[in-house]
Amino acid sequence: MAGFAAMAEDFSPPTWQTFSDPQTLSDPTTWTNPKASIDPTIFSDDFSEMRIVVVRSNANGCEPNCPEWISAEGAIASGTPALLKRVLKTLGRRKLPIIVNSPGGNVNAALQLGRMIRKNKLDIAVGKTEFSGCWPGMTDCRANDGKGVAYLGIASDGGAMCNSACPLMFAGGVRRVAGGWAYLGVHQITTTYFPSTRQYRTTYSVIRGKKYRITTETITQGDSYKTYEMSKGFARRISAYLREMGVGQGVLDRMKATPASDIRQISLHDMLTMKLATSTDTVDLFTSASPCMLDKLAPNCREIPANKPAGGQTAAAKLAKAATIKAKTAPSEKAKAPLSKPAKALPTKPFEPAPGNGAPEMRFVVIRGSDPLCNPDCPEWISAEGAITPQTPQRLRELLAVPGNQRLPLLISSRGGDLFSALRAGRLIHERKLDVAVARTNIVGCDAPQAGCLADNGAYVGLVSDFGVECDSACALMLAGGAKRLVDPRARLSMYSMGQKLIVQAYLEEMAINPGLFAAIELNSVERQLEPDMMLKVGLVTGPESADALTGAAICRSSPKADNCRLPPAANAEANALPKL
C-alpha cells in the first residue's frame, strides 16, 4: 500500500534561504518568504523563530505613564501560539496591542494566532521594535534593572514586513493598521508530497499447539515532489477563516493569483478595500506617548512610579512581575494635564542654546520671534535641530497635536540621521502641509544650566540665522516634504546615495520632486553640496527666498496675515508655556 504525506510551504530555489522548524517535515502547513535574500530594501533573510515579549516605550517625556505593547518578531513556528498564550497569561486582563514583523511561517500556527488575538480582543500593527538596553535573546542583561520592565524600545513601520502566512495572523486583530512604509505581501501555497510505500508481511508461528499470526510492516520513503497550486481544501479553510475575521475574500484571490515563487504587496488602499486594514493609521496609533497624556488613558498605558527600587532581580523576573501589574484605572496628576499644559505633563531637560547640527538627537521647540519691530503680533515657528532618530517622527506628531501648532512653519538644522525616520517625518510634514526652511534658531536669554529657558511671558523667544547652517543627507529628504521649501544661499544642503534606492525614489516621486535629483545623488557615493540653481531646477526648493519669508517681522503686517502670526501669551501664563519635546 502506498501512502502520501503533504506539506504546504513556500517554494524557494536552493540558493535562497527559507525558514522552518524541526517539525517541518511532519507539518502540512508552512509558508516562508521566498524573496528574503533578493531585495534587502524590503525583505530580510535574518529572521529566526518568532520571539514574543512585552515592551515599554522609552520615548523622552512619556514617564511615568508610557505605552506598552507585545513585540512579535521572527518567523511563525508551530510553537509560536504557545509563546503568545504564556505572555497573555502573565498580562492578566491587560490588553496590549501586538506589533508584528514577520516573513511568514507555519500556516496552522498563523491561524491559531489570529483566533487567539481576536478572542482576546487585541489590536495589531505591522512594525519593528528597536530595543534599547536589552533585547530578546540576551542572557543576564541588567541594563534595564530598576526600570520596572525587562525591555524598552521604540516602534516604527519603516522596513517592517508581514508576509506570506503573517497576514492571516494580522487578520485576527480588532484594529489592524499597517502604515505607509510597512510591507504586507501574499502569495500562493506550495504543497510538497512525500510518497511512501508500506509493505506488510504475514507469518505464522505454532506455540504449544496453537497457531499465531504475526504481521510486520516496512515503510520505504520515495522521492518528494511539489505542486504549486493551493488545494481546494486549503482554499476553503482560509476562505472560512477570513469570513470569520470579517476580512474580504480579495485577500484569498490575491494569494491564489500570485505564484509561489513570487510575493505581491497589497497596497494600503487595497487593504482598506479588502477590509484587511481598518484605517490608514500607523503603528504610532498604539505606541506613541500621546494617548497616555489624555484624560482617558489608552488601555496599554501603565504608570511606573519614578522611585521604583532598583533591586537585584534579573530582567526576566522583572518582566514577569511587571506584566502582572494591572494598569491603573485613574490617571496620575501628570496624565490628567490637558495638552494645553504640556510643560507639566512632560518633564523637560535644560535647553542648550542653539544646539544646531551638533545636537545628539532632534528636538522640537515652538519659538516666538523676538524682533521688537513685530510686537505685539509676532510670527512663531517650530525649531527642529539635531540628528534624526527613530523617535523624531513621533515627537513631531506629538508637538503638532497641540492646538495652535498645526500650521507653524518648520526651521530645520541637521546633519542627517536615520533614513526611514526622515521619510516618515517628511510624509507627516507633507500631510500637514507645513512650510520648511533650512535655518538655525538662537534662543534669546537662554542659559544652558537653567532648566526651561522661558522668557517672562512664558514663551520661548528667539532669532533666526541661516548663515552656515547644514541640512545633510536624510535631512534633505525631510525638507522635501514641505509645502514651501526654502534654502538660503548661505546655508549648506548636501546629499549622497544612501541606499534603499527604490524607497527613496518612490518617496521623491510622491513629493513631486523632479527625477533629476535622484539621478544626481545616485552618481555620488560621497556627500555633495547641491547648488541653488540645481535645487530650484529639480524642485527640491520652491523659491529663492530664505527663512525670513516664513519668520520675518513683516509677515504679520501683511494682508492676509500669515497662519503663524498670533498674539503673545498672557504675562502670567507660565502654565500655558509652549511645549518643548
Side-chain angles (χ1 to χ4, degrees):
M1 297 178 63
F4 295 88
M7 178 180 69
E9 61 174 10
D10 284 341
F11 168 75
S12 302
T15 56
W16 294 354
Q17 181 175 354
T18 60
F19 310 91
S20 60
D21 57 64
Q23 299 182 12
T24 298
L25 293 180
S26 60
D27 190 336
T29 51
T30 300
W31 281 353
T32 54
N33 179 19
K35 235 177 175 182
S37 57
I38 297 177
D39 189 354
T41 65
I42 299 176
F43 301 99
S44 170
D45 59 357
D46 194 28
F47 279 85
S48 57
E49 190 171 308
M50 181 173 282
R51 299 179 186 270
I52 300 178
V53 296
V54 175
V55 183
R56 182 177 179 84
S57 172
N58 66 340
N60 287 347
C62 76
E63 293 293 357
N65 235 318
C66 290
E68 297 180 346
W69 62 88
I70 299 171
S71 168
E73 301 216 0
I76 301 171
S78 58
T80 303
L83 296 179
L84 179 59
K85 187 175 181 179
R86 281 201 294 269
V87 171
L88 294 180
K89 186 176 181 180
T90 64
L91 290 172
R93 295 183 179 180
R94 293 197 65 204
K95 297 185 182 301
L96 301 186
I98 294 178
I99 310 303
V100 64
N101 180 37
S102 172
N106 187 293
V107 178
N108 282 335
L111 296 176
Q112 291 179 52
L113 289 168
R115 289 193 169 99
M116 194 181 303
I117 292 168
R118 181 60 60 89
K119 180 180 179 180
N120 288 275
K121 300 179 181 178
L122 305 181
D123 300 323
I124 193 168
V126 180
K128 294 175 65 176
T129 299
E130 301 292 339
F131 291 91
S132 175
C134 300
W135 60 86
M138 291 184 69
T139 58
D140 298 325
C141 178
R142 307 185 65 87
N144 296 328
D145 281 4
K147 299 178 181 178
V149 290
Y151 301 110
L152 294 168
I154 295 293
S156 66
D157 58 356
M161 72 172 80
C162 182
N163 293 329
S164 303
C166 178
L168 298 178
M169 171 186 174
F170 179 78
V174 177
R175 287 186 293 176
R176 305 178 292 276
V177 298
W181 291 110
Y183 191 101
L184 187 147
V186 296
H187 58 177
Q188 181 65 269
I189 296 176
T190 296
T191 303
T192 302
Y193 289 92
F194 296 89
S196 61
T197 303
R198 295 173 182 264
Q199 296 179 331
Y200 298 89
R201 180 181 180 184
T202 302
T203 59
Y204 296 88
S205 178
V206 177
I207 302 176
R208 296 179 181 177
K210 292 185 177 181
K211 187 177 182 181
Y212 293 91
R213 180 176 175 176
I214 302 173
T215 302
T216 58
E217 178 184 4
T218 302
I219 301 176
T220 303
Q221 298 290 346
D223 294 332
S224 63
Y225 63 92
K226 298 181 178 182
T227 60
Y228 303 113
E229 291 185 3
M230 186 183 301
S231 68
K232 293 182 178 179
F234 265 110
R236 286 194 299 268
R237 185 179 176 190
I238 295 175
S239 177
Y241 171 81
L242 294 175
R243 283 196 303 272
E244 177 185 344
M245 298 299 152
V247 177
Q249 296 298 304
V251 176
L252 177 59
D253 295 337
R254 189 70 59 89
M255 289 179 184
K256 296 168 71 173
T258 305
S261 58
D262 196 3
I263 192 162
R264 181 177 300 177
Q265 182 181 13
I266 302 180
S267 68
L268 182 56
H269 177 270
D270 288 345
M271 280 192 274
L272 292 171
T273 302
M274 299 172 182
K275 298 182 180 180
L276 183 59
T278 56
S279 72
T280 58
D281 292 294
T282 68
V283 66
D284 290 342
L285 178 67
F286 306 132
T287 63
S288 69
S290 300
C292 297
M293 290 187 276
L294 304 177
D295 288 336
K296 184 178 180 181
L297 300 180
N300 62 316
C301 298
R302 182 168 70 95
E303 181 178 352
I304 296 181
N307 60 349
K308 184 169 181 72
Q313 302 176 53
T314 63
K318 286 180 174 293
L319 174 61
K321 183 176 180 180
T324 58
I325 300 175
K326 298 181 180 179
K328 292 190 175 183
T329 56
S332 67
E333 290 301 315
K334 290 186 178 182
K336 286 182 178 179
L339 287 178
S340 60
K341 298 182 180 180
K344 289 192 175 184
L346 297 175
T348 60
K349 299 178 180 178
F351 185 87
E352 298 178 4
N357 301 331
E361 58 180 294
M362 184 166 285
R363 290 186 289 181
F364 297 97
V365 184
V366 176
I367 305 293
R368 183 176 179 82
S370 63
D371 192 330
L373 297 177
C374 69
N375 284 326
D377 203 2
C378 291
E380 296 181 352
W381 64 89
I382 299 172
S383 169
E385 303 191 358
I388 301 169
T389 69
Q391 293 88 345
T392 298
Q394 176 181 315
R395 291 175 180 170
L396 178 58
R397 186 182 297 274
E398 290 171 356
L399 188 69
L400 295 178
V402 178
N405 295 346
Q406 292 89 340
R407 289 301 307 277
L408 296 182
L410 198 72
L411 269 58
I412 187 169
S413 173
S414 172
R415 287 180 179 168
D418 183 71
L419 172 63
F420 283 111
S421 299
L423 299 181
R424 292 174 61 205
R427 289 170 67 92
L428 178 59
I429 292 169
H430 184 73
E431 174 189 326
R432 301 296 178 88
K433 297 181 172 64
L434 304 183
D435 298 328
V436 184
V438 175
R440 175 186 293 133
T441 300
N442 295 298
I443 308 297
V444 176
C446 183
D447 187 8
Q450 297 177 359
C453 281
L454 298 179
D456 292 338
N457 64 356
Y460 298 109
V461 293
L463 294 171
V464 173
S465 171
D466 41 28
F467 180 77
V469 178
E470 295 183 54
C471 180
D472 301 330
S473 306
C475 172
L477 297 177
M478 191 169 165
L479 168 73
K484 290 182 180 178
R485 304 178 292 276
L486 308 179
V487 181
D488 188 274
R490 296 172 297 177
R492 171 189 170 91
L493 190 146
S494 57
M495 295 185 72
Y496 71 103
S497 178
M498 295 169 282
Q500 311 294 344
K501 297 180 181 180
L502 297 179
I503 293 178
V504 172
Q505 186 176 23
Y507 171 81
L508 293 175
E509 290 176 358
E510 181 182 353
M511 300 300 148
I513 306 297
N514 190 297
L517 174 62
F518 181 79
I521 63 178
E522 279 300 290
L523 295 175
N524 297 280
S525 58
V526 295
E527 204 162 54
R528 170 198 172 193
Q529 183 173 356
L530 302 181
E531 299 299 327
D533 291 344
M534 188 266 191
M535 289 189 285
L536 190 61
K537 181 179 179 181
V538 300
L540 182 58
V541 297
T542 56
E545 301 96 341
S546 69
D548 285 342
L550 304 177
T551 63
I555 67 171
C556 294
R557 296 195 296 269
S558 62
S559 182
K561 191 177 297 185
D563 291 338
N564 60 319
C565 295
R566 56 189 180 189
L567 294 174
N572 61 351
E574 182 177 354
N576 292 321
L578 294 173
K580 183 188 79 174
L581 297 180

